[in-house]
Amino acid sequence: MTPTEIREIETLAAFANELADTAALQTMALFRSGLEAHDKGKKPNFDPVTAADRGAERAIRDHIAARYPDHTVCGEEFDDRIGTSPYKWLLDPIDGTKAFIVGIPVWATLIGLLRDGVPLLGVMDQPFVRERFTGTPFGTVADGPLGRRTLRTRTVPALSSAILASADPYNFTSAEDAERFHALRAKVRLTRFGGDAYFYCLLAAGQIDIVIDPGLDDYDVAALVPIIENAGGMITTWTGESPLKGGNIVATANATLHQTVLDVLVG
Amino acid sequence: MTPTEIREIETLAAFANELADTAALQTMALFRSGLEAHDKGKKPNFDPVTAADRGAERAIRDHIAARYPDHTVCGEEFDDRIGTSPYKWLLDPIDGTKAFIVGIPVWATLIGLLRDGVPLLGVMDQPFVRERFTGTPFGTVADGPLGRRTLRTRTVPALSSAILASADPYNFTSAEDAERFHALRAKVRLTRFGGDAYFYCLLAAGQIDIVIDPGLDDYDVAALVPIIENAGGMITTWTGESPLKGGNIVATANATLHQTVLDVLVG
């Protein structure tokens, strides 16, 4: 990488952190405020969308449009804006809207940046906890109550020692997917639910070994790829393909564990 | 209440908050530190106990013994200490040890105080988030990232509008208990997992309408009773009895909703 390329990535990473600050003003103003949730009705379960989601994504989009008007921007709440630049932002203003509505501080703002279709950097921000994860080609760092730390995934000796996490066991709407998940769950030491994007960041932090979710969208995944890969982890679909289009997603701490997990998921 | 009684409760509540500070020094030193978890083997699932649990309870006990040597003290990790005073402390140094091990900041330190067997005050502390809930006869307050707030439960128009929360769907080890839980889950708007004691505090805060868990211990419940009841909520066993011995526990936002939920749980 040339010094110019390094500076460009550093500038974009700093800007992505600014975007997270901008979103946090919107989300924190409405978190635990008694706002009404409306059902979008797009998904089989309750799928709330709130003024906080829309306000945060609007604020991020305005910020990008002002600074980088030629960048492409895609997000959960509004139509895609197609730009001429090789850069594309993928936004999930509130990943874990159910957690947001319930008031438990494990939802997150996800900001991913692709260059020519390849994930370049990602930010996961939890403004109530004041914890933020940033993944770039220079590494994955966490900033939060424990200070600033560079993250690495850990190595477990066997699947039976592994910790597995998933957002919600009832998100597996296909019986076959549920069966595969439970086959994996039966082989690990401990399974934890209720974390959304936070779990993927904790995998990067060496706390969790496997995170698995069905039916994710591209904007759920884009920010997490740099966070996981630059900490030593792997993230793919359940069949080992690129996670960038979303779908059934699995992240693990390293390539060896990943293959072991894929073998269980293939069944 | 006489001014002397009021002052005594205020002094004890301030002391309970000191105990939470003391415990936080122990838990925060080990949170996300890569500590090893050991399986106590007492429960059907993985039941980790860590140096953090023991260190925090030891610190709280030492603090109580120094200030109130005649108080009774019971906790999760050590033998009961029986005192001559009408006051009894019930301690769970880390409620949600699995959350602690996974690194997700929804575990809590629970400190409950009974007088003559009646819950007098309770503290729930989450030191990574820096959020603390305190319930006393003067009300339930939250101190945290949103400042200091007095809490009240909310009223939902019907069970179908209610938000339900529970620690983990696989904690229901009896098939009959699981069936009753799922009967309730089928009737509500939204169910969230992965919160432990935090969910009961969010019920006090008017974010959640029903929290339900099987097989709780007395030290899981004692601190939560004053937090819930002084915010307008109810907490009992599934058969409507005192929750103080633990067991299958249900908390709701008010007496009307409570009866509706008990009717579903009786089946």
Side-chain angles (χ1 to χ4, degrees), chain B:
Chain B
M1 234 182 285
T2 67
T4 306
E5 286 171 328
I6 291 171
R7 268 197 306 276
E8 179 161 17
I9 294 170
E10 285 173 345
T11 301
L12 287 163
F15 181 69
N17 273 270
E18 274 178 44
L19 295 177
D21 294 338
T22 300
L25 294 177
Q26 301 294 318
T27 55
M28 285 294 282
L30 291 172
F31 185 53
R32 297 203 194 156
S33 69
L35 61 93
E36 280 304 306
H38 301 283
D39 193 336
K40 280 196 287 193
K42 282 198 315 194
K43 295 184 183 174
N45 297 324
F46 177 67
D47 181 28
V49 61
T50 66
D53 291 84
R54 288 189 297 270
E57 186 169 325
R58 185 77 271 157
I60 295 173
R61 283 172 174 261
D62 289 350
H63 219 67
I64 297 172
R67 174 80 168 267
Y68 297 113
D70 60 332
H71 286 196
T72 293
V73 185
C74 304
E76 180 167 12
E77 304 298 340
F78 300 99
D79 290 340
D80 296 349
R81 201 195 64 186
I82 309 301
T84 54
S85 139
Y87 288 112
K88 174 179 174 177
W89 297 89
L90 275 163
L91 311 173
D92 191 356
I94 301 180
D95 176 80
T97 315
K98 288 179 190 174
F100 188 94
I101 288 174
V102 164
I104 193 113
V106 298
W107 52 274
T109 297
L110 295 178
I111 298 166
L113 179 61
L114 279 60
R115 187 171 56 195
D116 295 318
V118 179
L120 180 68
L121 59 90
V123 173
M124 177 281 200
D125 187 52
Q126 209 317 304
F128 191 83
V129 179
R130 292 181 169 275
E131 182 157 44
R132 182 176 296 177
F133 298 82
T134 305
T136 72
F138 316 121
T140 297
V141 295
D143 282 290
L146 299 175
R148 186 177 173 84
R149 293 179 171 199
T150 300
L151 305 183
R152 294 304 296 173
T153 59
R154 71 176 169 200
T155 302
V156 285
L159 192 55
S160 58
S161 323
I163 292 179
L164 169 65
S166 185
D168 190 320
Y170 303 106
N171 283 352
F172 297 90
T173 50
S174 135
E176 194 187 337
D177 290 353
E179 198 177 301
R180 288 170 182 203
F181 168 71
H182 288 294
L184 183 62
R185 190 170 75 84
K187 291 178 189 293
V188 300
R189 184 174 66 144
L190 167 65
T191 303
R192 178 80 191 177
F193 300 105
D196 306 288
Y198 224 132
F199 283 151
Y200 293 85
C201 296
L202 291 170
L203 182 138
Q207 294 287 142
I208 294 173
D209 308 294
I210 308 162
V211 189
I212 188 163
D213 284 301
L216 295 190
D217 287 296
D218 56 353
Y219 48 75
D220 294 323
V221 174
L224 299 174
V225 172
I227 289 172
I228 291 165
E229 291 184 349
N230 291 297
M234 276 192 82
I235 178 167
T236 69
T237 65
W238 292 14
T239 51
E241 283 152 66
S242 164
L244 285 179
K245 289 181 181 170
N248 288 355
I249 298 298
V250 55
T252 68
N254 57 67
T256 307
L257 180 61
H258 206 80
Q259 192 53 56
T260 305
V261 170
L262 290 187
D263 289 345
V264 176
L265 292 174
V266 170

Side-chain angles (χ1 to χ4, degrees), chain A residues 96-134:
Chain A
T97 314
K98 288 178 189 172
F100 188 94
I101 288 173
V102 163
I104 192 114
V106 299
W107 52 274
T109 297
L110 295 178
I111 298 166
L113 179 61
L114 278 61
R115 186 170 57 193
D116 295 319
V118 179
L120 180 67
L121 59 88
V123 173
M124 178 281 200
D125 187 52
Q126 210 319 304
F128 191 83
V129 179
R130 292 181 168 274
E131 180 156 47
R132 181 176 296 178
F133 298 82
T134 304

Side-chain angles (χ1 to χ4, degrees), chain A residues 51-221:
Chain A
D53 290 84
R54 288 191 298 270
E57 186 169 326
R58 187 76 270 157
I60 294 173
R61 283 172 173 260
D62 289 349
H63 219 65
I64 297 172
R67 174 82 167 266
Y68 297 113
D70 61 332
H71 285 196
T72 293
V73 185
C74 303
E76 179 167 14
E77 304 298 340
F78 299 99
D79 290 341
D80 297 349
R81 202 194 63 185
I82 310 301
T84 54
S85 141
Y87 288 112
K88 175 180 175 177
W89 297 89
L90 276 163
L91 311 173
D92 191 355
I94 301 179
D95 175 80
T97 314
K98 288 178 189 172
F100 188 94
I101 288 173
V102 163
I104 192 114
V106 299
W107 52 274
T109 297
L110 295 178
I111 298 166
L113 179 61
L114 278 61
R115 186 170 57 193
D116 295 319
V118 179
L120 180 67
L121 59 88
V123 173
M124 178 281 200
D125 187 52
Q126 210 319 304
F128 191 83
V129 179
R130 292 181 168 274
E131 180 156 47
R132 181 176 296 178
F133 298 82
T134 304
T136 72
F138 316 121
T140 297
V141 295
D143 283 289
L146 299 175
R148 186 177 174 85
R149 293 180 171 198
T150 299
L151 304 184
R152 294 304 295 172
T153 60
R154 71 177 170 198
T155 302
V156 284
L159 193 55
S160 58
S161 324
I163 293 179
L164 169 65
S166 185
D168 190 318
Y170 303 106
N171 282 352
F172 297 90
T173 50
S174 135
E176 195 188 336
D177 290 352
E179 200 177 298
R180 288 168 181 203
F181 167 72
H182 287 295
L184 183 63
R185 190 170 75 84
K187 291 178 189 292
V188 300
R189 185 174 66 144
L190 167 64
T191 303
R192 178 78 189 177
F193 299 105
D196 306 287
Y198 225 133
F199 282 151
Y200 294 85
C201 297
L202 291 169
L203 181 137
Q207 294 287 141
I208 294 174
D209 307 294
I210 308 162
V211 189
I212 189 163
D213 283 300
L216 296 190
D217 286 296
D218 57 353
Y219 48 74
D220 293 323
V221 173

